[in-house]
Amino acid sequence: MRIKITSIFVTIILLYSSHGYSQNQNYGSISYNKAINVSGKQRMLSQKISKAYLLIAKGIDNSEIKKELNSSKFIFEKQLDILEKNAPNSAIKLSIKDIRRSWNDFKAAIDSPPNFMNSAKVLELNTPLLRKCHELVLSIETSSKYNNQFFKKTNQDLASTINVSGKQRMLSQRLCLYYTALSMFPDKKAQYKGVIVKIFSEFDNVIGDLLINSYNTTEIEEELGNVMSQWEKFQINRKDFVNGAFSLEDVFYTTNSLTKSFNKITGIYEIISKST
C-alpha cells in the first residue's frame, strides 16, 4: 500500500512539473514585453514604408527617404523572423503566417516602380497589413497576460502600456502617410481627410493618457514634454492640418521626430518592466 501511495504521489509531482515546464516565462529567448515592443514596431514600419514609397512617387526622391524605404523593409523582415522563431504557441504562429501572406503582396507593390498608380495599390494594401500586425501585438499581449497570471507576476498592465505607447509610433507615421496621400489624390480628398481626423484624434488623446501613467519616470516625462512641444503646432492648428495647409516637409520631419520620441518612451517602459 505504501509503495502504491508513493507511486501516485510521484505521478502527481511529474504531471505538475510537466505542466509548469510547458508554460514558458519568456517569449522564446526574449521577454514578452520585448516581443510586444518589437511586434509594435512592425505596425509602424508598415506605415513608414508606405509613406516613403508615396513620397518618392510624388517626386521627393532624396537619399534620406530612399534609406527609410530600404532599411524599413529589411528591418520588417528580420524582426518578423525573430518573432516567428521565438513564437511560444500556435495562435501566435498562425498570426505571423497571416502577416507573411499580406507582406508578400505588399512587398511586390513597394518593389514596383514608384508612380501614382502603384501608390494607389500601396494604399490599398497597407491597411490590411497594418491590421494583421496589430492583431499579432494583441495576440502576444494576451499570451503575456496569461503568462503573468500563471507565474503570479505583478506587472500585467505594463504590457498594455508598452502596446499603447508603441502604437503612437505607428500613428505618427500613418498621419504622414495620409497627409501625403491627401496631396496626391485630390479625388479621394474627403476619404483621406476622414482617415487623418481619426488618426489625429487617437494620437492626441493617448498623449494625455500617457502623461498620467503611473509608471512614468522623469526621463519619460521629459520626453513627453518634448512630444507636446512638437505636437502643439499641429494641435492648435488642427483645422489647417486636416486641410493640408502645412508643408509636406514639415509634416515629414515632425512625424519622424515624434516616432523617435515614442520609440524612446516605449523602450523605457520595457526597461521598467524588467525590474517589476
Side-chain angles (χ1 to χ4, degrees):
M1 176 64 71
R2 185 176 180 180
I3 293 173
K4 186 176 181 180
I5 293 173
T6 302
S7 177
I8 293 171
F9 179 75
V10 170
T11 301
I12 292 171
I13 292 294
L14 287 172
L15 286 170
Y16 179 82
S17 299
S18 176
H19 178 68
Y21 181 77
S22 67
Q23 179 64 32
N24 297 319
Q25 292 194 49
N26 293 320
Y27 183 97
S29 63
I30 60 178
S31 70
Y32 265 101
N33 287 325
K34 168 66 77 175
I36 293 169
N37 190 1
V38 171
S39 60
K41 286 180 182 178
Q42 298 296 84
R43 294 180 299 202
M44 178 274 290
L45 289 169
S46 70
Q47 303 308 288
K48 193 172 189 178
I49 292 166
S50 302
K51 174 205 72 178
Y53 185 92
L54 261 67
L55 286 170
I56 294 171
K58 188 173 169 59
I60 308 173
D61 192 4
N62 64 41
S63 58
E64 184 176 351
I65 296 172
K66 281 184 176 179
K67 184 178 178 181
E68 268 198 17
L69 180 59
N70 293 328
S71 63
S72 296
K73 285 193 293 184
F74 177 80
I75 294 169
F76 186 97
E77 291 186 323
K78 290 299 178 182
Q79 288 188 162
L80 194 60
D81 288 341
I82 291 169
L83 291 168
E84 184 174 42
K85 179 182 177 182
N86 289 280
N89 59 55
S90 58
I92 292 173
K93 289 176 182 177
L94 284 171
S95 185
I96 293 171
K97 188 176 180 180
D98 204 21
I99 289 173
R100 285 203 183 276
R101 283 194 291 265
S102 285
W103 171 250
N104 288 336
D105 293 337
F106 181 76
K107 189 179 178 185
I110 59 175
D111 284 342
S112 64
N115 57 44
F116 280 76
M117 184 179 294
N118 291 334
S119 293
K121 185 67 175 177
V122 169
L123 281 170
E124 178 188 334
L125 294 172
N126 98 89
T127 298
L129 176 61
L130 170 61
R131 189 181 299 115
K132 289 175 182 180
C133 288
H134 182 60
E135 287 169 359
L136 174 61
V137 180
L138 297 181
S139 182
I140 295 173
E141 185 181 343
T142 298
S143 182
S144 170
K145 287 180 178 179
Y146 175 75
N147 169 281
N148 284 338
Q149 291 170 356
F150 187 88
F151 288 103
K152 295 182 173 58
K153 294 181 181 178
T154 59
N155 64 341
Q156 294 179 38
D157 52 340
L158 257 174
S160 296
T161 299
I162 292 168
N163 177 11
V164 170
S165 174
K167 192 179 179 184
Q168 293 290 85
R169 299 172 296 197
M170 177 276 289
L171 291 171
S172 59
Q173 291 298 308
R174 189 165 174 82
L175 197 62
C176 188
L177 166 63
Y178 278 92
Y179 194 89
T180 306
L182 191 68
S183 67
M184 290 179 69
F185 302 97
D187 58 318
K188 294 189 175 181
K189 187 174 182 179
Q191 178 185 340
Y192 293 156
K193 279 178 68 173
V195 175
I196 289 172
V197 168
K198 185 177 179 181
I199 300 166
F200 195 107
S201 296
E202 183 176 357
F203 185 89
D204 192 47
N205 291 336
V206 171
I207 293 174
D209 292 340
L210 288 175
L211 277 171
I212 57 173
N213 189 280
S214 59
Y215 289 104
N216 286 355
T217 63
T218 301
E219 191 175 5
I220 287 175
E221 289 174 351
E222 288 175 353
E223 199 61 41
L224 284 170
N226 182 42
V227 165
M228 288 187 293
S229 67
Q230 296 178 77
W231 181 243
E232 186 180 26
K233 64 184 175 184
F234 295 157
Q235 188 184 46
I236 63 178
N237 297 291
R238 179 172 179 157
K239 186 176 179 180
D240 287 339
F241 185 92
V242 172
N243 288 317
F246 285 86
S247 72
L248 190 50
E249 181 181 25
D250 189 8
V251 174
F252 170 78
Y253 284 110
T254 301
T255 52
N256 268 7
S257 183
L258 290 168
T259 299
K260 184 177 180 181
S261 288
F262 274 108
N263 194 47
K264 181 178 179 180
I265 290 166
T266 307
I268 298 171
Y269 283 131
E270 185 195 321
I271 291 169
I272 292 170
S273 71
K274 296 176 182 177
S275 60
T276 58

